[in-house]
Amino acid sequence: MSEGTFSHVSVMADEVLRFLAPRRGGLYLDGTLGGAGHARLILEATSPDGILIGMDRDAAALAAAKSNLAVFGDRAILRQGNFSDMNVHLDLLEIDQLDGVLLDLGVSSHQLDSPERGFSFREDGPLDMRMNPAEGVSAATVVAEAEADELKRIFREYGEERWAGKIARAIVTDRERTPFVTTLQLADLVSRVVPGGRVPQRIHPATRIFQALRIHVNGELESLQAGLDVAWKRLKAGGRLVVISFHSLEDRIVKQAFRALAASCTCPPRLAVCVCGHQPAVRVLTRKAVRATESEIDVNPRSRSAVLRAIEKLAVEDHQNV
Ligand SMILES: C[S@@+](CC[C@H](N)C(=O)[O-])C[C@H]1O[C@@H](n2cnc3c(N)ncnc32)[C@H](O)[C@@H]1O
């Protein structure tokens, strides 16, 4: 990829527009701006006076988005930050409630294709993986300092890696001799340690380890949980929250959060009469997870693992007790 260009094909663009239903003059927040592909569509759909607040943890993504959205002038308000902190930014902007929020989780193709960011095992680069390199600790630090048990937990929990223990122990032994500072060093170790790891395969044996470290380093699941907790509260009645996730751990969090918000009575089943008076706060718009069409998957293989879920906030009188 040439330097300075931002390459990322937005996934499920039609479905995002269908479920978010952006309308003229509306107020929207894209919490995962990336190269602003979805953001552009939202700004077009809300023309001429809709406002989009775009957030990303990554300064490089924001810079790309800024130039991609320049034509919309002050209709696009861009802020660096974690979407779980949207309250802080909305309060500073004196924005109370939104017509819609979009979260398109994970990393962009641009981040994956920039070796210097350390997300990919395909090219050599520093083992970093932070979406915001000014925040938290890098993957190299985690690999250098975490105990074997902690590494094993990370690989098992976030990567669902079968050989988590074996890989963790090998890292702890090897790092005594040579610290892991680059992506290829770690990818090579995984290929060496995993049974059959040297045999060429469709999925690289380090895929799950890299995913696990990335999720851990960026606290992705914690951000998602916190982001969902705040996002629906910031919606107007009738406002919509659309989330696209890329692996089962994320999707489970989204599904459970939406189910809890849409629940009516939460009394234990043994009670014959409802005493909680709990009212649903939202309506789930996607009874089943929505997936990319075969034709989209043909042109953008990344969309194969995308899962979209959406909710709509109910009117205040319907969820007074939430
Ligand atoms: C899949 S890309 C989004 C692509 C974008 N929808 C588009 O159409 O171009 C995900 C982006 O979200 C950012 N991101 C991921 N988690 C985030 C979080 N918790 N807060 C803010 N940004 C986040 C990443 O840095 C990345 O740029």
Side-chain angles (χ1 to χ4, degrees), residues 1-7 110 113-114:
M1 203 177 77
S2 67
E3 247 192 62
T5 60
F6 192 102
S7 112
H110 180 75
D113 293 344
S114 305

Side-chain angles (χ1 to χ4, degrees), residues 168-184:
R169 284 192 299 277
I171 288 175
V172 171
T173 309
D174 278 30
R175 74 186 181 194
E176 296 296 326
R177 275 196 312 271
T178 328
F180 288 90
V181 288
T182 76
T183 51
L184 287 192

